[in-house]
Amino acid sequence: MSAVAEAASRVLIENWRGAYTVPASGLYPHQWSWDSAFIAIGLRHLSPRRAQLELDSLFSAQWDDGRLPQIVFNLRRDDGYSPGGSFWHSERISGTPPVSTAGLIQPPNHAMASWLVHLSDPAESRRRGFLDRAYPRLARWHDYLRDRRSGTSGLAQVIHPWESGMDNSPYWDAPLAAMRDDYRGHIPRPDLRHAAADHRPSNADYGKYLSLAARYRDHDCDDTDGENPFRLEDPAVNALWARSEIALAEIADEIGADPVPHRARATELTVALESLWHPDLGTYTARDLVSGELQPYRTVSGLIPLLVPGIIHADELLVQLHGPHFALGQVALVPSHDLIAPTFDASRYWRGPSWFNTAWLLAEALHARGNLDAARMLALDMATSAMLNNFPEYIDPHSRSPRGALRFSWTAALSLDSITRLGMPE
Ligand code: 2M8
């Protein structure tokens, strides 16, 4: 095992909590939805059974309506993170699982992860019936997105910045500024005990986050509330959904279910994604469904549609990725926001720093598109940047300095996966 693989494995072992992995001990003491899927992708190289368990434990927190919750809380650590289980009180709502969860969701990368976990040891996966258990859960999760979260465009809507996984992206600035309500209660910030204030969202951001979350909670997390002040279609969320439908078709094929509806939905989503193309910016971007406006920003989310095989604007996205806005190969990984925009901030959360999950997604996309050198370069950059800084949550794209938490699970998992699959000479 290489030094990177060994060090990454140690992080994953340290953050394992018996049936799932915390994103980082301290800052994130619970199970997060899309983190678990990314973590399983790395864990499969250590133990396919552990990777299956990671996903099984998230699936066991599925709501009756099909949603996979953003967070599954460990109530023994409820004072360690805000808002926690005592904010959501999910047990009040009918159709919720016996564990305490948030009501919001996160991006749908789970079918993609389940298929990769299966492929790491198909015999073991079949013996344990992993995909037979996962398939109905994943199918209901995707049905939830279609039935409860999609409007006329067919794309899924996020109703809170946290649902995008890219919490304080500039995409959300105008919609949050247009909100009339703000949170009136105390705003706890236990996160600031573990990360620098200028690496995290501001208190003003948090006021809006809590106000939106409390509103949704007080409507029993009912998606028929058309008055929600925050409703956007995000490119990465929908690209991951389309890519996960393709994975679900592979899973259906493997277990003898019908893959055709999943392929059809992937095609519909691929076509629908084009409504998020911003011709002047040369990228996909988020649409605010309240104002009807496409958000005028280049962010890494707008590049993630490269993962979807049939998009029309792949060549323009590749130009964008290599050009001055994201400077692939000249800065660390892929910045979360346009390097030359006035809103770029090299340190603050999703407003500039480079993240390892988006680098992994883009390395996958480049590899699938035959850009093997660029994919391998990104994979090696992930391994180097992770090792150099003790597996940081995110890094300054110019200086590579660590930002946020250290010994962060998806940084370890995805560096391990990349170096194992893409980084080694063939
Ligand atoms: C960050 O989000 C949480 C809320 O979900 C937070 O800021 O407290 C994001 O980076 C998100 O994408 C990630 O899933 C989560 C846990 O790593 O942290």
Side-chain angles (χ1 to χ4, degrees):
M1 211 189 244
S2 70
V4 184
E6 252 178 57
S9 306
R10 275 199 297 277
V11 173
L12 292 175
I13 290 166
E14 220 170 86
N15 290 345
W16 175 251
R17 294 292 180 270
Y20 66 91
T21 311
V22 293
S25 72
L27 184 55
Y28 303 115
H30 309 293
Q31 180 178 29
W32 261 259
S33 171
W34 80 324
D35 293 62
S36 269
F38 285 129
I39 291 164
I41 290 169
L43 268 184
R44 71 197 171 122
H45 300 293
L46 290 185
S47 157
R49 285 181 72 154
R50 198 174 268 201
Q52 291 170 17
L53 188 52
E54 178 85 38
L55 289 165
D56 278 337
S57 71
L58 179 70
F59 296 153
S60 67
Q62 186 167 38
W63 289 29
D64 284 357
D65 62 11
R67 85 183 73 190
L68 288 179
Q70 171 208 8
I71 306 173
V72 186
F73 295 109
N74 169 4
L75 290 179
R76 288 193 303 276
R77 297 293 319 279
D78 209 41
D79 56 350
Y81 180 81
S82 171
S86 54
F87 171 93
W88 286 101
H89 278 300
S90 59
E91 72 285 353
R92 291 171 306 113
I93 303 174
S94 72
T96 52
V99 284
S100 167
T101 82
L104 299 168
I105 58 170
Q106 276 197 315
N109 57 344
H110 312 85
M112 224 181 137
S114 300
W115 181 239
L116 291 175
V117 166
H118 167 78
L119 291 181
S120 64
D121 189 344
E124 159 78 356
S125 162
R126 284 185 200 117
R127 192 163 51 245
R128 294 170 55 82
F130 171 61
L131 290 182
D132 297 305
R133 277 195 310 284
Y135 176 75
R137 301 283 195 166
L138 291 165
R140 282 175 46 225
W141 165 222
H142 288 193
D143 286 348
Y144 168 80
L145 295 174
R146 182 198 57 195
D147 299 340
R148 314 267 178 138
R149 289 305 190 96
S150 306
T152 46
S153 70
L155 297 174
Q157 306 169 11
V158 290
I159 51 136
H160 194 292
W162 288 331
E163 295 200 319
S164 70
M166 304 188 192
D167 308 7
N168 67 340
S169 156
Y171 283 172
W172 324 130
D173 290 358
L176 291 181
M179 269 173 60
R180 261 182 269 121
D181 298 341
D182 211 343
Y183 196 64
R184 291 184 199 291
H186 166 62
I187 301 180
R189 296 297 305 269
D191 55 322
L192 300 184
R193 295 202 295 261
H194 306 283
D198 58 349
H199 301 179
R200 293 281 303 168
S202 67
N203 255 12
D205 290 329
Y206 257 86
K208 301 281 182 164
Y209 297 163
L210 289 178
S211 159
L212 276 173
R215 184 182 196 286
Y216 190 53
R217 174 200 63 193
D218 296 344
H219 283 73
D220 289 345
C221 304
D222 176 4
D223 293 310
T224 57
D225 169 25
E227 300 300 302
N228 196 312
F230 187 97
R231 282 178 286 125
L232 286 103
E233 292 168 342
D234 173 70
V237 166
N238 284 287
L240 283 168
W241 182 15
R243 188 61 194 72
S244 271
E245 279 301 343
I246 296 170
L248 204 49
E250 313 254 33
I251 294 173
D253 246 342
E254 160 69 26
I255 64 164
D258 185 4
V260 174
H262 304 301
R263 294 216 174 94
R265 203 183 290 169
T267 305
E268 283 159 22
L269 286 167
T270 307
V271 172
L273 264 170
E274 298 304 336
S275 65
L276 302 184
W277 179 251
H278 195 305
D280 300 338
L281 296 181
T283 186
Y284 295 88
T285 183
R287 183 183 299 284
D288 180 351
L289 296 170
V290 177
S291 69
E293 299 296 321
L294 284 174
Q295 300 307 289
Y297 299 104
R298 298 180 181 90
T299 81
V300 70
S301 172
L303 303 176
I304 304 295
L306 272 176
L307 264 183
V308 182
I311 53 158
I312 293 175
H313 297 285
D315 290 344
E316 288 107 307
L317 283 190
L318 290 171
V319 170
Q320 183 84 237
L321 181 59
H322 287 90
H325 302 290
F326 295 95
L328 186 69
Q330 295 159 54
V331 293
L333 309 177
V334 180
S336 47
H337 182 35
D338 181 350
L339 289 161
I340 51 181
T343 30
F344 173 83
D345 180 335
S347 292
R348 199 181 286 278
Y349 219 39
W350 289 96
R351 302 181 74 87
S354 298
W355 291 73
F356 291 76
N357 61 333
T358 49
W360 182 88
L361 290 168
L362 289 169
E364 282 293 303
L366 290 166
H367 193 259
R369 290 177 177 278
N371 301 345
L372 302 188
D373 289 344
R376 191 164 300 130
M377 187 272 295
L378 254 185
L380 288 171
D381 192 9
M382 284 175 69
T384 316
S385 305
M387 270 303 262
L388 198 65
N389 288 305
N390 199 9
F391 300 92
E393 188 177 4
Y394 41 105
I395 55 179
D396 179 320
H398 297 299
S399 68
R400 277 204 165 69
S401 308
R403 299 286 179 255
L406 297 179
R407 302 188 77 65
F408 190 68
S409 296
W410 83 35
T411 301
L414 298 175
S415 306
L416 173 61
D417 184 69
S418 295
I419 202 72
T420 311
R421 292 193 310 135
L422 301 178
M424 302 299 174
E426 278 173 2

